[in-house]
Amino acid sequence: MPTLKLARLPDRTPVKLTVHVLPDLHEALTAYAAVYAEAYSEPATVEQLVPAMLSSFLDSDRGFHAARTQKNKASAG
């Protein structure tokens, strides 16, 4: 089997997640989608935007990254 520089791709199978939000959050998300459409001249639904918003939030949370790294080190050692 050849050795490739590119590692095996991770599982990219989407996982359906259902959440319930309060009306004020739904209103804010809908307003965000409208502003997004205006800013980029491209419509996007709340359902399309929420995964990107969650990913951005997690990527920017330093405390989460530190805790996750510490937990991974503890379980590996």
Side-chain angles (χ1 to χ4, degrees), residues 33-58:
V35 172
Y36 178 94
E38 186 178 318
Y40 295 108
S41 300
E42 183 177 310
T45 66
V46 169
E47 293 82 5
Q48 292 169 322
L49 293 173
V50 167
M53 293 168 133
L54 289 172
S55 182
S56 177
F57 175 81
L58 291 175

Side-chain angles (χ1 to χ4, degrees), residues 12-50:
R12 295 173 287 151
T13 305
V15 176
K16 183 174 181 162
L17 179 65
T18 302
V19 298
H20 297 272
V21 297
L22 296 176
D24 59 335
L25 178 56
H26 181 260
E27 183 181 332
L29 290 168
T30 302
Y32 191 97
V35 172
Y36 178 94
E38 186 178 318
Y40 295 108
S41 300
E42 183 177 310
T45 66
V46 169
E47 293 82 5
Q48 292 169 322
L49 293 173
V50 167

Side-chain angles (χ1 to χ4, degrees), residues 61-71:
D61 190 325
R62 292 181 184 170
F64 170 68
H65 283 284
R68 191 173 190 188
T69 299
Q70 185 177 21
K71 184 177 179 179

